[in-house]
Amino acid sequence: MLSRKACNPVVSSRELFGLSAGDMEGRKKRLRGMIEFTAILRPSNGDDLVVNLHDDGQVGANFCNDDEIVCGFSEEESEGGDDLAERSEATDSDDEELYEKSIIDSESEEDDDNSSAQIDVEMDDNNGGPIDDLLQNFKEYEARSAYFERFEKKHHVAVELCRLLRQTKASLATYDTMMQWHFWATGKLREGQPVSTHPDYISREKLFKMLRRRYNYDQKKWTMIKEIILPFSRARARIVLNDAQAAMQSLLTDPRITDEDYMFFNDDPFSPPPDHLDYIGDLNTGRSYMETYKALIKNPSKEILLPVVFYADAAVTGQFVALSVTAVQFSLGIFSRIARDKEHMWRTLGYIPDYCKVASRGKGFFKQTGHADAPMAYQNTYLENEGEDLGEVSKVSAQDLHAMLEVILASFIQLQSRGFYWDLHYKGITYENVKFVPFVTFFKADTEEAEKLCGSYNAHTATVSQLCRYCECPTDDSDYHLAQFRLKTKNRIQRLVDRGDEDGLRALSQQNIKNALYEFRMGQHSDQHIHGSCPMEMLHAILLGIFGYVRDMFFEQCGPTSKLAEEMNALATEAGMRLARQSERDMPKTKFAGGITRGKLQAKEHTGILLCILAVLCSTSGEKLLRDRKKKNFAEVGLVEDWIRLVETLLEWEEWLKSPLMQYNHVKYRLQYKHQYLMYLMRVVGKRQAGMGLKLVKFHSILHMQQDILNFGVPMEYDTGSNESGHKKTKRAAKLTQKRQETFDEQVDIRLQEEHLLEMAKEEMNGREVRNYRQGHYHPAQQPPKIEQPCLGGAKYEAYKHQNGNNCIRLTSRANKKEPLGKIESQLVDFLIGLQEKVSDYMGTVPLHTLHKRDGLKFRASPKFMNEIWRDWVMIDWGQDGEQACKLYGFVDLTQIPEDSSIEYGGIAEVGPGLYAIVESSFVIEDEDGESDHLFVPIRKDVLEITNNMVSKMQFYLADVEAFLRPLVVIPDMGGNSNDYFLLKSRQDWRERFIDYLEAPNHEYPMEVID
Ligand SMILES: [Zn+2]
């Protein structure tokens, strides 16, 4: 055992301050001589010393062992929730003797070949067969589990309380307070009796200790700490790691995973990919999977190809303390894309420390001031020799990241290189001793991260020789829509690095680094390796960028500060407001109170902005304004049409890119030319002048999209949007830490593990225990969602005849305050009175409702809803008269009418019992050539009379709500006839229009040479 003395620093501040700032080497040497420190490794390891460096310079040391505790002056810490302190707190007397006995054997065994030592072991990737430990370890855990204590009521109570506290973001200390209260309130405690003396009380620490054991979360394999000296900054990085084998086992045995989460061809884990697939969907339909299968699977009856997908992205936590967590996570491609969208399908291998901050200038400056607090406050940065110095020194800052990645990925690389055995349970069958052959399919990351991973330059200025991380396209050709250049490959870049060929690397815009990801075994479909395996985020980054350029180009052509631009902006904003109030709720955000001209686009806004611009381009006012602006661009013949075509195609393109399935032929043989044409259209119509024109990475990237889809499946596969939702959990975990840079990653990791353990406990309460994985977990069939009966709601109006003979209407009830008193068309009141008279034999007044709900949809018909008229449109099947878009004015309940009433009203010959809507109908306005081939289809409302370009007599119909076909998006034609509108085609139609575009012969889309 270590004595307390060993951890006390013996620093002479006088000596420290005697140093000149520049004397780095000398200082280091002297520091080495002066301070006695012990290497800091795994806090949870049974025999490691943990040194806590406090902000005030106090040093606390804990001897960490599961069952024993020793020194440490960290009382303050345990209150605040320091894990190191908590975990090492004097632990309860263990009543699970049987268990203890059973683990002694297995633990001693483990110690021999222990995987916890893996990270220190030299890799011998190519030696030895597949790894057996993972399966062996699980079997031992199974055997051990026979001795587990029963999961009783008291455990349920403790788990539920912990879960509740997590959900309410309560501090960790709340647990004991709540427990005290619980036992007191249920009369289990005598006055003044501390809760800890009650036999049913379980401390937080004891609970998690038990859960760890119960769900095989061996502390030696989780939240390991490794410290290294970064090769460039020479700063010390403290890296938090999880063992890849443990993480893999945890993922494979997660009881939340159902059979439907897997995707095997023909429901058979050993089934090879079919020879000719006519579609592209999940990643196993991509070339990367297919080719790698052919290359690596030698024994198809025993081996299963295991695609591994990585993800890394910084999650910024907290509003005030901007500490970010960058977790390196992985999931598996034997799970479907939809399954991988779930947060519990990912495991974390490690965290990239926020190292830039450690080595920040501010701190360096403080150090140099010679203030008395400086040396202790920043001893972490002084003590550069205290981590494991890998002996590497680099002149390139990017090397730091890769040095850290190397540490984080080490245990995974070993697992990947040798493969491993596993018992796979799938659809009621346990496939024993299958050999998993892992390969890294792709690394999901945003553009900036991806460039770092590939070691390419982050700068995107004109002085950089190549902007693209995929290919050798010179910056100057980045806007060329027919560009075709050699792809960057691992071998080529590795050769240049080996030779130290700085010029050669600079020519490729590649950093001279040792790329940690080169250790990955990646797809065998190409020799690009990581340079072709960080697929572009088409659905976010690319579209966001490109849609943004298109908006900017549009206003650039209007004249950025012109009156025209102002008017266009006003019209677009107005159109956006109208587009936001529709029965079709599946719409992009179109409400931009501040206008659409300026401002950085947020994700999810780019579609709406283009839609607003399109609405203006189509509207009578918009078109007129553009054409009238003589001498300007838009007076040119056909330019407005070109703009419409460009914007429409972009919107349709996005919709198609979001498809879960694509036809193989479309992607393979059609897409590239049509992408080039789209780029051509942007160049010709957009004529971007600002900045570097269209010499932009995102623009050029369009040329690589086809390859990405062919290689890795549909764009949704590698969209990072789904992972970002997982940040919530990280943020919640971050709140429960001390928010200190030094231990932040570690505490976040422990909190996340605790949350995981609580979820496992919840699963156990539902009858699914991790240990029963090999027998399979039972998941009850999902209850089909309740079918809601169509009904009326909202505000209720009643029409009546006033004594003076006038038709009047009053608001009789309303569902909420959103529907205040307003005005209503007299003709509508007349129509309602007319109806009332017709049905008076069967019912009294007929109230007019403003809301109809059916099939989970809401249709509004309110004369005043939140201070504005809100009247939805709906597609109605008029039988022989076909389908028409109809505007809703209200709903009436006529269920009391008998079947044979023979009432004729509102265009219906025999009104039967049922719910009805009062509507106006419309028809499509066709062009001279009989077509209306646009996303916004012009329609005209049926009216009885128009006076002075205003509708003076409306035409109402009764429509059975059962004839409602689908919700619609309809906006008025701004500046057009008073009864003219535009009907927006459905998103499904957008997608189909893009498919039509793909299928059309290329010669219909000729591209001329652009000078
Ligand atoms: Zn390129």
Side-chain angles (χ1 to χ4, degrees):
M1 186 185 298
L2 287 155
S3 73
R4 186 164 158 171
K5 191 175 151 233
C7 10
N8 275 328
V10 192
V11 188
S12 149
S13 57
R14 200 183 44 211
E15 278 190 67
L16 266 176
F17 285 100
L19 300 168
S20 74
D23 185 14
M24 281 289 282
E25 266 318 300
R27 185 177 65 187
K28 253 194 275 173
K29 270 185 206 139
R30 260 168 285 174
L31 273 171
R32 233 182 314 232
M34 285 183 301
I35 304 175
E36 232 180 293
F37 262 82
T38 311
I40 306 168
L41 286 166
R42 278 171 241 118
S44 44
N45 197 328
D47 22 45
D48 278 338
L49 177 78
V50 176
V51 182
N52 290 330
L53 297 172
H54 301 263
D55 282 334
D56 57 6
Q58 192 186 29
V59 177
N62 297 317
F63 188 76
C64 288
N65 184 299
D66 279 357
D67 303 86
E68 217 181 343
I69 252 325
V70 198
C71 70
F73 26 94
S74 52
E75 282 98 347
E76 48 159 301
E77 298 296 334
S78 58
E79 278 170 20
D82 187 300
D83 300 282
L84 309 183
E86 257 171 40
R87 283 206 248 167
S88 50
E89 194 181 289
T91 42
D92 37 80
S93 60
D94 236 316
D95 51 356
E96 300 165 45
E97 280 174 39
L98 276 173
Y99 165 77
E100 294 296 354
K101 205 159 164 262
S102 76
I103 59 166
I104 290 168
D105 308 334
S106 58
E107 277 194 347
S108 57
E109 262 171 52
E110 271 173 27
D111 281 339
D112 295 337
D113 57 347
N114 201 325
S115 44
S116 70
Q118 267 170 23
I119 55 166
D120 304 326
V121 168
E122 275 294 317
M123 292 298 173
D124 55 343
D125 297 345
N126 303 319
N127 299 336
I131 292 173
D132 194 22
D133 311 358
L134 216 145
L135 180 56
Q136 205 49 46
N137 174 288
F138 189 77
K139 287 180 178 169
E140 283 163 12
Y141 156 69
E142 272 180 334
R144 221 156 53 222
S145 73
Y147 302 97
F148 284 169
E149 112 184 75
R150 271 190 40 234
F151 206 68
E152 294 171 7
K153 180 81 194 299
K154 60 178 182 179
H155 299 114
H156 286 221
V157 170
V159 166
E160 282 300 345
L161 179 57
C162 272
R163 281 168 54 88
L164 274 173
L165 294 178
R166 283 296 156 106
Q167 281 156 17
T168 54
K169 297 169 188 164
S171 82
L172 298 177
T174 318
Y175 178 86
D176 272 338
T177 320
M178 291 292 288
M179 272 291 177
Q180 177 91 34
W181 170 82
H182 163 71
F183 280 93
W184 170 80
T186 50
K188 288 180 183 164
L189 281 189
R190 289 188 312 274
E191 194 68 38
Q193 186 191 354
V195 68
S196 53
T197 58
H198 195 281
D200 280 352
Y201 166 77
I202 309 171
S203 71
R204 231 182 69 84
E205 293 71 33
K206 191 175 169 189
L207 175 71
F208 281 114
K209 190 179 165 198
M210 171 195 150
L211 294 180
R212 278 184 175 275
R213 209 179 284 142
R214 209 168 180 87
Y215 307 124
N216 207 22
Y217 259 59
D218 184 348
Q219 289 198 338
K220 289 175 194 159
K221 299 179 181 178
W222 297 89
T223 326
M224 304 178 286
I225 312 286
K226 187 171 171 85
E227 300 190 343
I228 58 163
I229 301 299
L230 296 176
F232 171 75
S233 60
R234 306 300 296 165
R236 190 188 61 142
R238 190 171 189 272
I239 300 169
V240 178
L241 303 169
N242 293 321
D243 175 60
Q245 287 196 31
M248 186 68 81
Q249 188 196 71
S250 159
L251 178 57
L252 286 167
T253 58
D254 194 316
R256 288 168 291 186
I257 297 174
T258 67
D259 286 336
E260 287 67 43
D261 288 333
Y262 289 92
M263 52 168 190
F264 292 118
F265 290 109
N266 310 314
D267 284 348
D268 175 6
F270 295 115
S271 174
D275 280 339
H276 300 289
L277 275 182
D278 58 358
Y279 67 92
I280 293 178
D282 279 340
L283 67 79
N284 63 349
T285 60
R287 253 189 337 212
S288 172
Y289 179 89
M290 304 266 184
E291 296 299 320
T292 310
Y293 186 92
K294 277 185 215 153
L296 297 185
I297 300 302
K298 302 293 176 219
N299 182 358
S301 62
K302 206 79 191 119
E303 296 171 337
I304 297 178
L305 186 63
L306 185 67
V308 183
V309 174
F310 273 87
Y311 170 70
D313 181 27
V316 179
T317 66
Q319 284 169 288
F320 306 108
V321 190
L323 288 172
S324 65
V325 181
T326 308
V328 178
Q329 298 175 300
F330 73 94
S331 184
L332 303 174
I334 51 171
F335 303 127
S336 70
R337 172 180 59 78
I338 291 169
R340 263 177 283 127
D341 278 349
K342 293 178 225 162
E343 204 264 331
H344 68 253
M345 304 300 275
W346 293 82
R347 291 295 180 278
T348 300
L349 278 184
Y351 300 81
I352 299 169
D354 213 342
Y355 61 101
C356 303
K357 287 185 183 159
V358 175
S360 74
R361 280 195 179 175
K363 286 185 177 179
F365 183 73
F366 184 33
K367 273 193 286 183
Q368 290 170 19
T369 59
H371 188 275
D373 280 356
M376 286 321 292
Y378 295 109
Q379 56 178 308
N380 297 336
T381 30
Y382 271 109
L383 294 171
E384 283 133 341
N385 57 330
E386 280 305 314
E388 183 185 336
D389 194 339
L390 302 170
E392 290 171 26
V393 179
S394 173
K395 288 181 207 152
V396 187
S397 62
Q399 189 65 65
D400 282 355
L401 172 71
H402 282 267
M404 292 188 283
L405 279 171
E406 192 178 327
V407 172
I408 290 168
L409 297 172
S411 64
F412 174 79
I413 301 291
Q414 194 185 38
L415 187 65
Q416 156 217 269
S417 312
R418 289 170 57 190
F420 63 95
Y421 287 113
W422 188 243
D423 284 358
L424 176 71
H425 187 92
Y426 173 64
K427 293 214 167 168
I429 303 169
T430 306
Y431 299 87
E432 286 186 6
N433 271 313
V434 300
K435 185 188 163 191
F436 272 128
V437 181
F439 84 105
V440 178
T441 318
F442 52 78
F443 206 128
K444 274 187 181 191
D446 65 22
T447 311
E448 198 183 323
E449 301 284 343
E451 279 165 353
K452 288 182 190 162
L453 295 174
C454 296
S456 53
Y457 287 7
N458 271 132
H460 293 154
T461 56
T463 53
V464 172
S465 55
Q466 294 175 4
L467 295 178
C468 178
R469 66 172 189 266
Y470 278 62
C471 77
E472 301 183 9
C473 175
T475 301
D476 206 39
D477 282 336
S478 298
D479 63 345
Y480 183 40
H481 56 281
L482 299 176
Q484 237 183 336
F485 290 92
R486 185 161 57 164
L487 295 172
K488 287 180 181 155
T489 63
K490 172 188 164 188
N491 285 345
R492 187 167 148 76
I493 289 159
Q494 184 67 64
R495 266 201 307 276
L496 292 171
V497 171
D498 290 346
R499 285 206 302 261
D501 186 346
E502 299 272 354
D503 293 337
L505 287 165
R506 196 175 309 115
L508 296 178
S509 294
Q510 284 289 135
Q511 312 258 20
N512 185 6
I513 53 164
K514 181 179 167 223
N515 192 320
L517 304 187
Y518 280 2
E519 296 297 321
F520 275 156
R521 173 160 64 204
M522 300 204 87
Q524 309 290 304
H525 61 290
S526 89
D527 49 5
Q528 276 206 281
H529 203 266
I530 189 70
H531 302 283
S533 304
C534 295
M536 281 169 310
E537 279 198 291
M538 302 178 198
L539 301 182
H540 283 102
I542 304 292
L543 289 178
L544 188 65
I546 285 166
F547 284 25
Y549 305 146
V550 170
R551 172 200 60 177
D552 295 346
M553 292 187 294
F554 178 74
F555 285 105
E556 204 174 277
Q557 288 189 15
C558 291
T561 53
S562 67
K563 189 155 176 271
L564 177 64
E566 222 170 84
E567 287 163 340
M568 286 291 125
N569 189 30
L571 277 176
T573 311
E574 174 64 26
M577 295 295 193
R578 306 253 169 208
L579 285 166
R581 286 197 160 188
Q582 302 289 342
S583 60
E584 171 63 273
R585 301 291 199 275
D586 177 27
M587 284 281 290
K589 183 194 163 190
T590 55
K591 233 173 161 172
F592 302 99
I596 65 158
T597 337
R598 270 175 217 99
K600 200 169 181 282
L601 286 182
Q602 302 289 314
K604 291 179 189 150
E605 287 184 350
H606 58 272
T607 318
I609 291 234
L610 280 206
L611 197 57
C612 290
I613 292 178
L614 183 62
V616 176
L617 284 165
C618 295
S619 72
T620 307
S621 304
E623 199 191 333
K624 190 167 178 304
L625 281 168
L626 290 170
R627 289 203 196 286
D628 285 355
R629 192 55 58 105
K630 296 226 169 62
K631 287 186 213 160
K632 292 279 179 188
N633 300 304
F634 291 100
E636 220 173 273
V637 180
L639 195 61
V640 174
E641 285 74 14
D642 283 350
W643 266 103
I644 291 176
R645 185 151 64 134
L646 171 61
V647 176
E648 282 186 347
T649 316
L650 289 172
L651 289 168
E652 291 158 13
W653 182 43
E654 174 180 29
E655 209 51 43
W656 180 77
L657 285 174
K658 287 197 279 190
S659 312
L661 286 180
M662 295 174 172
Q663 272 191 45
Y664 178 78
N665 287 344
H666 288 163
V667 181
K668 173 81 180 166
Y669 303 112
R670 298 289 185 177
L671 189 58
Q672 193 63 2
Y673 185 88
K674 297 296 158 59
H675 270 169
Q676 288 167 343
Y677 186 78
L678 204 52
M679 294 170 77
Y680 169 78
L681 210 57
M682 267 185 266
R683 291 183 73 187
V684 174
V685 180
K687 303 181 185 117
R688 190 173 198 261
Q689 305 292 332
M692 292 167 70
L694 282 170
K695 290 178 180 156
L696 302 163
V697 189
K698 281 173 189 162
F699 186 73
H700 167 83
S701 296
I702 299 173
L703 290 172
H704 295 299
M705 288 169 75
Q706 183 222 14
Q707 290 298 318
D708 275 354
I709 298 173
L710 282 175
N711 290 340
F712 308 118
V714 294
M716 277 199 283
E717 273 284 336
Y718 30 91
D719 189 59
T720 57
S722 55
N723 295 77
E724 276 162 20
S725 59
H727 287 176
K728 274 184 214 148
K729 222 174 194 178
T730 311
K731 285 177 184 173
R732 205 157 62 214
K735 284 211 170 82
L736 296 173
T737 69
Q738 292 164 311
K739 304 185 181 68
R740 286 203 330 237
Q741 183 82 50
E742 178 76 357
T743 52
F744 191 58
D745 287 343
E746 179 185 354
Q747 291 189 1
V748 166
D749 191 53
I750 291 168
R751 293 285 99 83
L752 285 172
Q753 270 167 44
E754 287 172 356
E755 193 154 336
H756 176 81
L757 293 169
L758 290 172
E759 280 159 14
M760 290 300 102
K762 184 78 191 164
E763 287 298 304
E764 176 160 1
M765 291 182 211
N766 289 328
R768 291 181 289 270
E769 297 181 52
V770 176
R771 60 174 156 169
N772 292 336
Y773 162 77
R774 294 200 300 152
Q775 287 83 55
H777 298 299
Y778 172 70
H779 294 268
Q782 294 254 322
Q783 294 289 325
K786 266 192 203 154
I787 298 167
E788 210 184 346
Q789 286 298 315
C791 64
L792 303 187
K796 212 157 86 177
Y797 293 86
E798 275 178 24
Y800 62 97
K801 267 207 184 307
H802 195 264
Q803 289 156 336
N804 60 17
N806 288 344
N807 288 344
C808 300
I809 194 158
R810 64 178 165 230
L811 180 66
T812 55
S813 79
R814 54 184 181 182
N816 56 46
K817 289 179 179 168
K818 285 177 180 172
E819 295 187 80
L821 285 171
K823 287 183 177 161
I824 204 161
E825 293 82 354
S826 310
Q827 290 170 49
L828 178 60
V829 181
D830 297 345
F831 185 83
L832 202 55
I833 296 269
L835 177 64
Q836 259 168 208
E837 283 165 1
K838 284 272 183 183
V839 301
S840 57
D841 286 354
Y842 310 103
M843 50 196 294
T845 52
V846 181
L848 182 78
H849 297 263
T850 58
L851 178 69
H852 172 48
K853 286 200 262 186
R854 59 185 296 111
D855 310 328
L857 297 170
K858 279 181 186 171
F859 294 94
R860 283 193 195 284
S862 179
K864 197 155 193 184
F865 189 85
M866 292 168 80
N867 294 324
E868 266 184 84
I869 300 169
W870 187 334
R871 284 178 174 142
D872 283 336
W873 288 69
V874 64
M875 191 58 89
I876 289 183
D877 182 359
W878 288 119
Q880 285 178 335
D881 295 331
E883 298 177 4
Q884 298 294 356
C886 293
K887 188 174 183 182
L888 297 166
Y889 280 83
F891 306 94
V892 288
D893 183 347
L894 301 180
T895 43
Q896 292 177 39
I897 293 177
E899 291 282 357
D900 52 352
S901 73
S902 73
I903 294 169
E904 189 190 342
Y905 197 71
I908 300 183
E910 277 180 45
V911 179
L915 302 177
Y916 287 86
I918 299 173
V919 303
E920 283 185 306
S921 193
S922 73
F923 55 92
V924 173
I925 309 169
E926 293 183 342
D927 287 4
E928 288 103 47
D929 28 351
E931 49 182 86
S932 65
D933 193 23
H934 286 294
L935 287 189
F936 280 108
V937 181
I939 57 172
R940 184 162 292 161
K941 227 163 58 175
D942 285 338
V943 291
L944 292 174
E945 192 182 282
I946 293 185
T947 321
N948 298 332
N949 201 24
M950 299 281 281
V951 176
S952 47
K953 237 182 196 169
M954 303 163 89
Q955 169 80 62
F956 289 114
Y957 298 96
L958 269 187
D960 192 329
V961 293
E962 294 305 316
F964 279 22
L965 292 173
R966 59 181 175 273
L968 296 177
V969 176
V970 176
I971 55 168
D973 176 11
M974 295 174 289
N977 292 326
S978 60
N979 55 337
D980 283 357
Y981 293 81
F982 285 107
L983 164 63
L984 181 63
K985 286 207 163 112
S986 73
R987 308 276 278 259
Q988 181 59 32
D989 286 339
W990 302 11
R991 180 175 302 174
E992 277 161 19
R993 282 165 57 96
F994 194 80
I995 292 172
D996 290 344
Y997 167 66
L998 286 176
E999 285 178 345
N1002 291 348
H1003 65 78
E1004 288 181 16
Y1005 296 90
M1007 294 184 270
E1008 285 160 27
V1009 177
I1010 307 172
D1011 13 277

